[in-house]
Amino acid sequence: MADYDLVVRGGEVATGFGTVRCDIGVKGGRIVALAEQLPLGGASVDATGLLVLPGGVDSHCHIEEPSPSGVNEESFQSASRAAFAGGTTSVVCFVPQWKGHGVLERFADSSARAARGMVDYAFHQIISDATEEVLEREIPQLVAQGVRSLKVFLTYEPLHVSDTDYLKVLVTARKHGCLVTVHCENYAAINWRTEALLAAGMTAPKYHAWARPPVVEREATHRAIALAELVDQPIQVFHVSCAEAAEEIARAQRRGVKVWGETCPQYVTLTADQMDQPGFEGSKFMCSPAPRDKDEHARIWDLIRRGVLDVVSSDHCAFSFEGDKGKAQNGRDASFRDIPNGIPGLAARLPILFSEGVSKGRISLDEFVRVTATNPARLMGLAPRKGSIAIGADADLALWDPKAKRTITNALMQHAIDYTPYEGLEVTGWPVMTIRRGEVVMRDGVVQAEPGTAQYLPRAPYDMVKPRGVLANGFDAAPPL
Ligand code: DUC
Ligand code: ZN
Ligand code: ZN
């Protein structure tokens, strides 16, 4: 009997801390050997001339997420195809909470949906209604089932929470050893500007960006961090779009605060100008925070290099352009306020970041591996099982041709959405094979995984989210557990 179920031979293996040419032996879905040359025999894949990367970990994806008005068009099956097509093997997605409802019933529903897919998954729990019942009784039950991150929105109707409720979520997270992830934009400021824009007849998609300029992101980022520092609760600031906001994170990091920053490919490629197109076309680029101008891209790259922004996820939140479920669900003449926010990016994330980052010399291959796989896995409590190529880790691999050139088209994305905002973008570097737990699930663009083979990734307590023990006046205002 062969020693290994699969051997990946002869590739340049990217560890995130240098690259080595070695073979990878896989047994039972895990990496069990790394050696210059493993014995011949048994199934193998020839990776000569290719990079072997850890399968991507996309720690911010909205997939098949139900809301009172319906379910995301992207199912876990279509999202799994997109993920594998783009070299991603794990996702962290969201269990919703609707105001007036609890969270436990939604967890069962989201779990059943995700289990029908193929990509391995964990969950963030959205908290939009911080009732005593949810915080005191339901969250502990979710934590017991492996949910270790709570997501709050400081803006968005009807999801946003007040500062009072945000504080309660921070306290609850600290008690139970969870990370808090935060959407940072100022709710009142956006509403105020939106009303004024609409009253002035400025309703087109381009005014989406006018309603939420960088200052509203900076203010909310500052506040989110300050309150987290007060409670002594680690947080991750989601989808940082601009240096103004990121510098708030950098300042807090210099004080030793446990705050991490995430950005997304859209904030190094898309611009606010793209929303300024005739008719409804601009809606294809609408997401929040809004894409900024071109100069901001260079600043975001710099912040990635500095390690201030240490995770690049997709914030995949997809709405088709055509049809009545997507961008036009409120009609093609809807004002920017009534066009759903979000863009698809699950398949595009790694190719764009590799091409714009590594191929163009903005970041190293090591940095790429860390921000797309290793860091999100560590921050989400998925390491060492996910996010790195190491003995004992799941054999999740992306075999990458660093020289392959592609022009991004919607068909290449393999999602259920009818457009990609990256249509026509030329990239250098492309995944030619994706391996999930030792099984080849994508070869030359053909996804061949069985629906229902996804595995849930429950998360145990982990060090990164431990509080620092630094409290104002040494007084802990949080009630004891
Ligand atoms: N912004 C979010 O915060 N979530 C989903 C989509 C978006 O654009
Ligand atoms: Zn968000
Ligand atoms: Zn999001």
Side-chain angles (χ1 to χ4, degrees), residues 40-259:
L40 297 174
S44 70
V45 160
D46 181 8
T48 309
L50 300 175
L51 296 171
V52 183
L53 311 176
V57 177
D58 195 338
S59 54
H60 184 165
C61 300
H62 303 267
I63 301 170
E64 210 175 320
E65 203 176 297
S67 74
S69 57
V71 184
N72 264 166
E73 286 169 83
E74 195 79 88
S75 72
F76 276 93
Q77 290 183 14
S78 59
S80 297
R81 281 194 293 277
F84 294 159
T88 286
T89 46
S90 308
V91 294
V92 187
C93 36
F94 296 83
V95 180
Q97 185 199 9
W98 308 334
K99 285 207 158 83
H101 293 262
V103 295
L104 282 177
E105 76 191 76
R106 298 258 57 97
F107 178 72
D109 177 64
S110 295
S111 299
R113 292 172 187 277
R116 291 195 282 269
M118 300 89 92
V119 66
D120 289 354
Y121 60 97
F123 288 114
H124 307 288
Q125 175 62 57
I126 293 173
I127 305 292
S128 63
D129 202 354
T131 62
E132 207 180 304
E133 174 67 18
V134 167
L135 299 179
E136 300 289 320
R137 280 170 285 285
E138 296 203 11
I139 297 295
Q141 293 182 59
L142 281 185
V143 170
Q145 294 181 77
V147 174
R148 291 231 167 233
S149 43
L150 307 179
K151 159 84 191 277
V152 294
F153 291 86
L154 299 184
T155 192
Y156 268 141
E157 203 63 73
L159 296 170
H160 76 99
V161 296
S162 65
D163 287 354
T164 306
D165 283 355
Y166 174 49
L167 282 165
K168 288 183 190 167
V169 173
L170 291 167
V171 167
T172 303
R174 204 189 81 187
K175 270 192 200 170
H176 297 289
C178 298
L179 180 71
V180 174
T181 61
V182 195
H183 179 122
C184 296
E185 291 185 294
N186 182 301
Y187 173 71
I190 294 170
N191 281 352
W192 173 67
R193 275 180 77 84
T194 299
E195 293 298 334
L197 285 162
L198 298 184
M202 299 158 99
T203 60
K206 81 169 197 179
Y207 296 110
H208 171 70
W210 290 37
R212 45 199 340 127
V215 60
V216 307
E217 187 182 343
R218 162 163 51 88
E219 184 281 331
T221 303
H222 176 86
R223 183 163 33 102
I225 296 169
L227 297 183
E229 186 175 358
L230 183 70
V231 174
D232 191 14
Q233 165 57 36
I235 63 168
Q236 184 191 33
V237 178
F238 266 173
H239 44 48
V240 178
S241 74
C242 57
E244 268 185 52
E247 291 301 345
E248 294 293 332
I249 299 172
R251 284 196 314 138
Q253 288 173 340
R254 285 198 291 273
R255 289 198 299 279
V257 176
K258 288 177 104 170
V259 52

